Amino acid sequence: MNGRTPFVAANWKMHKTVAEAEAFAAALLPRVSDAEGVDVAVCPSFLALGAIVDSTRGSRVRVLAQNMHYEASGAFTGEVSPPMLAELGVNGVILGHSERREHFAETDRALELKMPAALAAGLLPVLCVGETEEERERGDTERKLRHQVQEDLSQVDSAQLGDVVIAYEPIWAIGTGLVATAEQAQEAIAFVRALVGDRAPEQAERVRILYGGSVNPDNAAELLALPDVDGALVGGASLEAESFAAIVAAAGRR
Ligand code: 13P
């Protein structure tokens, strides 16, 4: 036992209207009500956040946004700020997902500011990192992870590093059905933990590091049993309550 509570989060990406999100919550809550010892979260679109905060109130399910700006307010058309999320009762936020880095020009510079801004607003930040297929083939996986982890966490106080969640999501495994092998996932996640340890050894023992990329009910148990893997960030298999609940259950048995 390493003392870290497993964390399993459903990243719905640009899926589910408010009505669909509410139907999912109604189906999920009874299925995870006895998932003792697992932190469970759903990450709906901005528009469904308020409804899902309401419909999960009093349950074990936490609600996370999928992005935010680092400023509290300002002339940033189309953006949402940390206090806006906190006011709604949102518990945290995914930051630096590879789809935001790739399609929306999310930069490490911005993430440097977003990470402490989330913590200051009382939000749990889930920082996503990971290499492309090309970077893995070139032998650059560790270089990429080092760059992202060091830069994106550079403005987080060392004493607070254990309060963030990091998700290792190899880009080649996202939405492809190609899951990292147990060895690849363990090796990369242990490396990320060691990077946190370079700054604060005791925080490396606390920080939760998830695996993401084609996690499903069939492969979850093996991934979640790995010593450094503290949970999963789930895309496609999180869109159905039954398959997401099966992954939560696998985390509870680890
Ligand atoms: P998939 O589970 O669909 O591969 O997506 C993973 C992901 O990007 C979670 O953030």
Side-chain angles (χ1 to χ4, degrees):
M1 287 301 282
N2 55 37
R4 298 186 294 269
T5 304
F7 187 94
V8 179
N11 177 11
W12 290 343
K13 310 188 178 184
M14 198 174 71
H15 293 284
K16 296 195 190 293
T17 64
V18 176
E20 289 164 351
E22 285 185 318
F24 179 101
L28 181 69
L29 294 187
R31 288 181 161 89
V32 298
S33 59
D34 59 356
E36 291 301 325
V38 185
D39 287 345
V40 182
V42 294
C43 316
S45 81
F46 284 129
L47 293 178
L49 284 171
I52 299 305
V53 166
D54 286 343
S55 54
T56 56
R57 206 180 301 282
S59 79
R60 66 171 54 253
V61 177
R62 299 282 166 266
V63 182
L64 274 58
Q66 299 176 15
N67 182 36
M68 62 164 212
H69 199 275
Y70 48 82
E71 292 285 1
S73 63
F76 300 105
T77 302
E79 290 291 311
V80 167
S81 78
M84 291 174 183
L85 295 176
E87 180 195 43
L88 271 191
V90 168
N91 306 105
V93 58
I94 298 174
L95 292 174
H97 192 281
S98 60
E99 288 152 14
R100 294 219 59 86
R101 294 179 191 257
E102 180 183 349
H103 304 303
F104 305 101
E106 178 80 280
T107 62
D108 293 308
R109 276 302 281 268
L111 290 165
E112 245 177 56
L113 301 172
K114 289 183 178 193
M115 291 298 295
L119 290 166
L123 298 167
L124 171 73
V126 178
L127 173 69
C128 300
V129 297
E131 81 287 359
T132 63
E133 183 175 18
E134 202 195 356
E135 286 163 337
R136 177 162 283 272
E137 281 171 1
R138 279 205 311 260
D140 277 345
T141 299
E142 293 194 348
R143 198 176 61 85
K144 175 72 169 290
L145 294 176
R146 182 184 300 109
H147 175 81
Q148 290 183 326
V149 169
Q150 288 181 345
E151 194 139 335
D152 301 351
L153 293 174
S154 63
Q155 302 303 313
V156 175
D157 206 54
S158 293
Q160 273 195 298
L161 286 171
D163 299 333
V164 313
V165 172
I166 302 172
Y168 167 63
E169 299 206 305
I171 294 166
W172 47 271
I174 295 179
T176 58
L178 270 180
V179 66
T181 64
E183 191 184 358
Q184 287 169 329
Q186 167 59 27
E187 190 177 53
I189 289 178
F191 180 72
V192 170
R193 192 177 304 287
L195 290 170
V196 174
D198 288 343
R199 282 192 48 201
E202 67 294 351
Q203 300 300 320
E205 291 305 310
R206 289 181 56 222
V207 67
R208 289 183 290 181
I209 310 181
L210 319 181
Y211 170 79
S214 297
V215 176
N216 63 41
D218 296 329
N219 60 29
E222 184 187 12
L223 291 161
L224 292 166
L226 297 167
D228 278 286
V229 176
D230 301 319
L233 185 55
V234 188
S238 77
L239 295 174
E240 296 293 332
E242 199 169 334
S243 61
F244 182 61
I247 296 168
V248 172
R253 287 191 297 269
R254 82 199 260 276

